[in-house]
Amino acid sequence: MEYPIKEIAEIIGAETAHISDAHISILLTDSRRLSSPEQSLFFALKTKANDGHKYINELYKLGVRNFVVGEIHPDALNTTPDANFLLVKDPLRALQALAARHRQHFDIPIIGITGSNGKTIVKEFLYQLLHNEFNIVRSPRSFNSQLGVPLSVWQMNGKHTLAIFEAGISQPDEMERLRPIISPTIGILTGIGEAHQENFISSFQKCMEKLTLFADCETIIYNADNAFIANCIDSALLSHRAIGWSRVNSDAPLYVSSIKKKDTQTEIECTAMGLNSAYTIPFTDDASIENVLHCLALILCLKPTSLRDTSKFMHLEPVEMRLDIKQGVNNCLIINDAYNSDINSLDIALDFMQSRKAGANLASTLILSDILQSGALPKSLYKKVADLVRRKKIERLIGIGRDVMEYGALFDLPKEFYRTTADFLDSPSIKSFRNELILLKGSRRFHFEQISERIEMKVHETILEVNLDAVVHNFNYYRSLLQPETKIIAMLKAFGYGVGPDELAKTLQEQHCDYIAVAVADEGAELRKAGISIPIIVMNPEHGGFNLLLENSLEPEIYSLRLLDTIIKETGRRGITSYPVHIKIDTGMCRLGFQPEDIPQVCSIIRNQSGVTVSSVFTHLAGSDNPALDDFTHQQARTFQQAARTLETGLEHKILKHILNSAGIERFPQYRMDIVRLGIGLYGVGAREGHELQNVATLRTTILRIQNLAAGQSVGYNRASFVTKNSRIAVIPIGYADGLDRRLSNRKGEVIINNQLCPIIGNICMDTTMIDVTGTDANEGDQVLIFGPSYPVTRLADKLDTIPYEILTTISPRVKRIYYRE
């Protein structure tokens, strides 16, 4: 749905000067999630850690023109002349007010879920069980906070027939702000635990606060066997609307008569509305069983006939755990659960750790931060932790934080403690890991990702120098060839064409590049971790990578009906709407892309769903750098233009179009369209003689050793080279494992040492290469140039009868990248 900006200003009670017409469909609170600037309204939120107002100028340069602010900087009218500023006392409250008004437009069942644990799992189970019978909108992931709830509710549109939203609180009075935003018709209270207890006088106060969400509910689902929750519902005067399921009371609306656990599944027998039913679920843990019982009770109220299909319960899929596994240094395995830290999640993570240890000859090491927001007395808390660590047979403990250090004596095992993560990183212990299974379990504020990075670190002496000034120069050279309104996609796939993507992306973002493109979702996720906020396109999305793609707001290229079906299902499964995608058309490359005759079917599919929206359509030229293929290039352009028109007409909205790569930008100005894709040209390789591009990447190493050989001696494997005279042979620490092509062996290749060309002698080895430095002044420790300004990568490519792309992209990740500006 879209709202006129003037209507939004009225809803949130904003002070405004002149407002230009605009229609808003996207609420933006994180500048890194920008996708459609023209339709976005940015809320400049202030938190303890950040201030959204400082990103206004950056967003303005990226095309955003509508802002909700708590203050207006005196220079804003000069630096952002055509922006709409909606001035309010509290941008977060304004966001909530807008979402609450949006909620009022819908008269459908709204399920509100709250509790200390299980909210997300119950929500996702309900979606799995009901998505075939309802068009469901739900909270993405665990968007249940003061910020996440309004963003979740904003997703609602006229096509939805059921909504499921989570609500979480950490202090009194927060639920009162969330209640009108969700305004649920049915409520589920999953349970009350110790999370966020520190801000409440008692568990009773916290439970009563959560029940505020259900003040206007028609029905409330809860576990009637939990006497504490039942008492709270009575105290809140909500018992007349409550439907409790029970394992002991046969008169309950949902009576669970039997629960039988087997090896990998559980059989549940129950009586609902006088009818006996049996369900089998693929879980055996108590938490999952209780979550399923909440779902059974909810469906009993919402649509009892849906319970007739008992088979769908067996097909429930587990909700993904927040644990990942990485290979560490020195034969270590790392389990990274640095998302949060509480006693319950620690128990789960240690169980997972035990399962990973089975069959592995690794010692168990726990790196644990202070456990925050537990609400328990520290001594009592860490006594429980110490007992848990003992029971799980952990062999080494590294504790980080003031509290765990203070109560370290409670732990009876080899241990060491540090006050901060920085102290640990500065200690010798960071280098001591050998043959260990390491669980990283820390609260977010301890930044355990720094530990993870260190124990995965790779070090190598050969370096690739990257001139960021040259990147800026080349980017601006191509931009000078374009109309001001033409957007640029910078291609950073294949590890940024081998030079490393993070610093390039940051540099391009500073230059207000419009998009970045990568090959796979992993590359895009790493850029998000590096702080890249501009849109990122994934050119080769894989069917198994959509979780990572969606979590990081990466925009996929769609090139087949199967892939289109997958993204529609994945966005639907997560409750995501209008997710931007980019349609590729095959006009003669015969690689990836829809055939032009497929486009009407594509339009029909997209019109009948709400998960995705088409941002751009493009094709790939087969020979834009080759004048002999110009006729074919023109043919491709004509085919693309016709197919793009068909797509735009079928979807009834404007779609950005692009066809040109680096060579095409220089050679075919008539086809520059809405966007261009800048690839190899960004790295200093142009399509025209005498171009103005600068060298970006320089591969250097050093001489490890020089030895004297007598005439007739052989050098290297298979004795492939002999010296015909007394010679000096240098060894350099670079080989084919670093990306130095083995075809350069035996004097075909050469390097530059002290401005002199020196031939490669012998076969290139995996990690080293031998160089004939006879007759030169080369010494051990001298620099060696593989390619760079005085020996261009194009020259090396010519020797190998290949293209510069291959040379750059085959440089191994173990080669250290050094970025510099003059």
Side-chain angles (χ1 to χ4, degrees):
M1 291 180 65
E2 290 186 350
Y3 284 77
I5 190 68
K6 292 180 180 179
E7 182 181 347
I8 291 176
E10 181 180 345
I11 292 170
I12 66 177
E15 297 178 24
T16 60
H18 173 73
I19 300 183
S20 302
D21 287 339
H23 286 79
I24 300 301
S25 61
I26 298 172
L27 305 185
L28 182 67
T29 60
D30 185 341
S31 62
R32 294 169 296 181
R33 305 303 186 196
L34 178 65
S35 61
S36 299
E38 300 85 359
Q39 302 168 28
S40 296
L41 176 61
F42 178 69
F43 288 76
L45 305 181
K46 277 190 176 182
T47 67
K48 293 180 181 179
N50 212 343
D51 183 356
H53 293 83
K54 68 183 183 181
Y55 300 105
I56 289 175
N57 283 338
E58 172 188 331
L59 287 168
Y60 180 85
K61 293 172 182 176
L62 293 172
V64 178
R65 291 296 180 269
N66 299 285
F67 303 90
V68 175
V69 297
E71 59 192 47
I72 299 178
H73 194 276
D75 295 335
L77 298 179
N78 295 325
T79 57
T80 56
D82 57 339
N84 289 326
F85 287 105
L86 279 58
L87 180 63
V88 297
K89 290 182 179 180
D90 183 346
L92 178 57
R93 293 279 184 133
L95 172 64
Q96 293 171 340
L98 179 58
R101 176 67 66 85
H102 183 66
R103 163 65 181 90
Q104 294 173 13
H105 290 290
F106 304 95
D107 184 20
I108 61 174
I110 308 287
I111 301 169
I113 308 174
T114 191
S116 299
N117 45 58
K119 296 185 293 295
T120 299
I121 295 175
V122 170
K123 178 198 68 183
E124 295 303 321
F125 280 0
L126 284 173
Y127 177 81
Q128 293 182 46
L129 294 168
L130 295 171
H131 74 277
N132 286 327
E133 300 169 70
F134 295 89
N135 188 340
I136 301 175
V137 59
R138 71 195 191 281
S139 308
R141 300 188 295 275
S142 54
F143 273 36
N144 56 37
S145 66
Q146 297 290 306
L147 175 59
V149 168
L151 293 177
S152 298
V153 171
W154 183 257
Q155 296 180 109
M156 296 177 71
N157 64 48
K159 295 180 180 180
H160 295 127
T161 57
L162 177 66
I164 311 174
F165 299 123
E166 303 177 40
I169 58 171
S170 59
Q171 55 190 354
D173 301 322
E174 285 188 334
M175 193 64 83
E176 187 61 38
R177 294 170 63 176
L178 299 182
R179 182 181 59 80
I181 303 173
I182 299 178
S183 191
T185 59
I186 304 176
I188 301 177
L189 182 61
T190 58
I192 299 297
E194 296 181 357
H196 302 295
Q197 184 62 47
E198 73 281 359
N199 293 321
F200 296 93
I201 297 172
S202 64
S203 295
F204 179 80
Q205 183 198 22
K206 181 170 67 174
C207 187
M208 295 298 287
E209 172 74 14
K210 289 179 180 290
L211 287 171
T212 303
L213 177 65
F214 306 142
D216 300 316
C217 273
E218 299 166 8
T219 305
I220 303 167
I221 306 298
Y222 74 108
N223 177 3
D225 296 338
N226 188 317
F228 171 76
I229 291 178
N231 179 58
C232 289
I233 288 177
D234 286 340
S235 299
L237 304 178
L238 295 173
S239 56
H240 63 291
R241 306 181 206 164
I243 293 182
W245 57 266
S246 175
R247 297 182 62 183
V248 297
N249 180 9
S250 59
D251 293 327
L254 177 64
Y255 171 55
V256 183
S257 57
S258 173
I259 294 178
K260 297 178 181 178
K261 295 183 180 181
K262 297 188 176 181
D263 289 342
T264 60
Q265 60 191 41
T266 300
E267 295 176 356
I268 300 172
E269 295 181 2
C270 58
T271 302
M273 302 175 68
L275 298 176
N276 297 325
S277 301
Y279 304 90
T280 302
I281 61 174
F283 313 109
T284 59
D285 62 289
D286 290 340
S288 292
I289 293 170
E290 182 162 333
N291 290 332
V292 170
L293 292 175
H294 285 309
C295 295
L296 277 167
L298 181 284
I299 298 173
L300 176 64
C301 298
L302 180 67
K303 191 176 182 181
T305 56
S306 182
L307 293 176
R308 294 173 183 168
D309 180 9
T310 60
S311 64
K312 59 188 175 185
F313 286 82
M314 187 56 198
H315 296 116
L316 283 171
E317 296 178 357
V319 179
E320 185 176 0
M321 296 179 66
R322 292 168 177 152
L323 294 175
D324 56 57
I325 306 169
K326 301 177 181 178
Q327 194 66 45
V329 297
N330 302 320
N331 194 38
C332 289
L333 196 63
I334 304 164
I335 300 174
N336 188 359
D337 190 27
Y339 177 83
N340 60 12
S341 185
D342 60 69
I343 189 74
N344 294 326
S345 64
L346 177 60
D347 193 1
I348 293 170
L350 289 172
D351 276 343
F352 184 78
M353 185 182 193
Q354 292 299 102
S355 71
R356 297 300 300 178
K357 190 178 179 181
N361 187 24
L362 300 174
S364 299
T365 297
L366 170 63
I367 304 179
L368 178 70
S369 80
D370 280 352
I371 295 178
L372 307 176
Q373 299 181 331
S374 72
L377 294 173
K379 185 174 182 179
S380 174
L381 171 66
Y382 288 102
K383 187 175 181 180
K384 291 180 181 177
V385 173
D387 181 60
L388 186 61
V389 167
R390 178 187 56 79
R391 287 190 286 110
K392 302 298 183 181
K393 299 180 180 179
I394 299 301
E395 297 166 83
R396 178 188 181 191
L397 172 69
I398 297 172
I400 299 176
R402 181 185 62 188
D403 291 345
V404 70
M405 176 182 284
E406 182 176 349
Y407 297 98
L410 297 171
F411 295 88
D412 185 21
L413 76 167
K415 59 200 173 186
E416 53 195 285
F417 298 97
Y418 303 87
R419 189 166 293 275
T420 67
T421 301
D423 290 343
F424 173 60
L425 293 173
D426 289 338
S427 75
S429 288
I430 191 64
K431 301 179 181 178
S432 67
F433 298 107
R434 298 285 188 283
N435 303 313
E436 295 171 63
L437 178 60
I438 305 166
L439 171 61
L440 293 174
K441 186 64 180 171
S443 298
R444 284 178 174 177
R445 71 171 63 173
F446 285 88
H447 297 291
F448 272 17
E449 68 272 12
Q450 298 175 11
I451 299 174
S452 179
E453 290 170 3
R454 285 287 295 275
I455 58 182
E456 295 177 78
M457 186 178 296
K458 301 177 180 69
V459 178
H460 190 44
E461 191 170 334
T462 298
I463 62 172
L464 183 72
E465 296 178 345
V466 181
N467 184 344
L468 296 178
D469 285 332
V471 172
V472 172
H473 171 88
N474 296 341
F475 179 79
N476 287 329
Y477 163 72
Y478 282 98
R479 185 154 60 180
S480 71
L481 303 177
L482 306 173
Q483 295 298 317
E485 64 272 14
T486 303
K487 301 178 184 295
I488 297 178
I489 299 172
M491 308 301 293
L492 299 189
K493 59 183 182 175
F495 200 62
Y497 281 54
V499 305
D502 291 7
E503 286 300 325
L504 260 68
K506 292 175 184 177
T507 300
L508 293 165
Q509 185 165 267
E510 292 169 359
Q511 298 300 310
H512 313 303
C513 183
D514 302 287
Y515 293 86
I516 284 170
V518 295
V520 294
D522 294 307
E523 295 175 328
E526 290 302 314
L527 291 179
R528 289 290 187 228
K529 290 179 184 178
I532 302 306
S533 60
I534 59 179
I536 299 176
I537 300 173
V538 178
M539 304 300 284
N540 299 312
E542 298 165 334
H543 289 269
F546 276 100
N547 188 50
L548 189 65
L549 186 145
L550 294 169
E551 284 184 353
N552 290 278
S553 297
L554 309 176
E555 303 178 11
E557 166 192 315
I558 303 298
Y559 51 79
S560 70
L561 293 173
R562 177 171 175 247
L563 197 62
L564 179 60
D565 180 65
T566 299
I567 183 65
I568 289 172
K569 287 180 178 177
E570 291 296 326
T571 53
R573 192 166 68 86
R574 291 166 172 80
I576 296 172
T577 58
S578 300
Y579 199 85
V581 300
H582 303 263
I583 299 294
K584 185 170 187 179
I585 298 172
D586 183 2
T587 59
M589 184 77 170
C590 296
R591 189 171 62 177
L592 295 176
F594 292 100
Q595 295 301 312
E597 56 268 24
D598 295 333
I599 299 304
Q601 184 179 0
V602 172
C603 291
S604 177
I605 293 171
I606 293 174
R607 283 197 305 267
N608 288 288
Q609 56 79 54
S610 60
V612 303
T613 186
V614 178
S615 285
S616 82
V617 57
F618 69 103
T619 194
H620 200 106
L621 297 178
S624 62
D625 58 341
N626 187 348
L629 298 177
D630 283 358
D631 287 344
F632 189 72
T633 297
H634 291 303
Q635 178 184 319
Q636 281 191 274
R638 290 190 297 270
T639 302
F640 170 73
Q641 288 170 327
Q642 179 58 51
R645 281 194 296 269
T646 302
L647 183 68
E648 203 166 49
T649 301
L651 297 182
E652 298 180 340
H653 67 84
K654 177 174 173 52
I655 300 172
L656 300 175
K657 306 170 193 66
H658 47 113
I659 189 172
L660 296 182
N661 55 8
S662 297
I665 297 171
E666 290 186 297
R667 299 192 62 244
F668 297 98
Q670 68 272 39
Y671 300 138
R672 286 171 184 162
M673 301 185 187
D674 301 301
I675 318 178
V676 296
R677 301 188 301 274
L678 180 56
I680 194 67
L682 185 65
Y683 305 90
V685 178
R688 298 191 301 200
E689 293 292 331
H691 57 69
E692 302 176 17
L693 301 176
Q694 295 181 0
N695 179 78
V696 167
T698 299
L699 183 60
R700 300 183 188 276
T701 188
T702 58
I703 296 176
L704 291 177
R705 184 188 179 196
I706 296 177
Q707 58 180 326
N708 296 315
L709 297 186
Q713 286 189 274
S714 65
V715 179
Y717 284 118
N718 296 321
R719 307 192 74 192
S721 287
F722 289 82
V723 294
T724 57
K725 60 182 178 180
N726 294 342
S727 303
R728 298 174 70 227
I729 304 301
V731 180
I732 59 176
I734 183 172
Y736 58 78
D738 301 291
L740 188 61
D741 198 299
R742 202 165 181 269
R743 291 174 293 171
L744 295 170
S745 301
N746 302 308
R747 299 186 181 276
K748 183 171 183 180
E750 56 202 5
V751 299
I752 294 181
I753 303 174
N754 298 333
N755 297 317
Q756 292 179 280
L757 281 173
C758 302
I760 293 171
I761 186 171
N763 285 321
I764 293 173
C765 308
M766 180 182 290
D767 308 299
T768 56
T769 298
M770 286 68 75
I771 310 296
D772 189 344
V773 294
T774 305
T776 73
D777 58 356
N779 293 298
E780 293 180 2
D782 283 354
Q783 285 197 350
V784 180
L785 178 72
I786 308 300
F787 62 76
S790 57
Y791 196 95
V793 68
T794 50
R795 182 173 173 180
L796 188 58
D798 290 342
K799 277 187 171 290
L800 291 167
D801 192 26
T802 186
I803 54 177
Y805 301 77
E806 182 180 356
I807 304 297
L808 291 170
T809 58
T810 53
I811 300 171
S812 168
R814 78 178 185 180
V815 173
K816 185 176 181 180
R817 272 70 173 170
I818 296 179
Y819 304 90
Y820 70 94
R821 306 188 83 152
E822 296 294 346

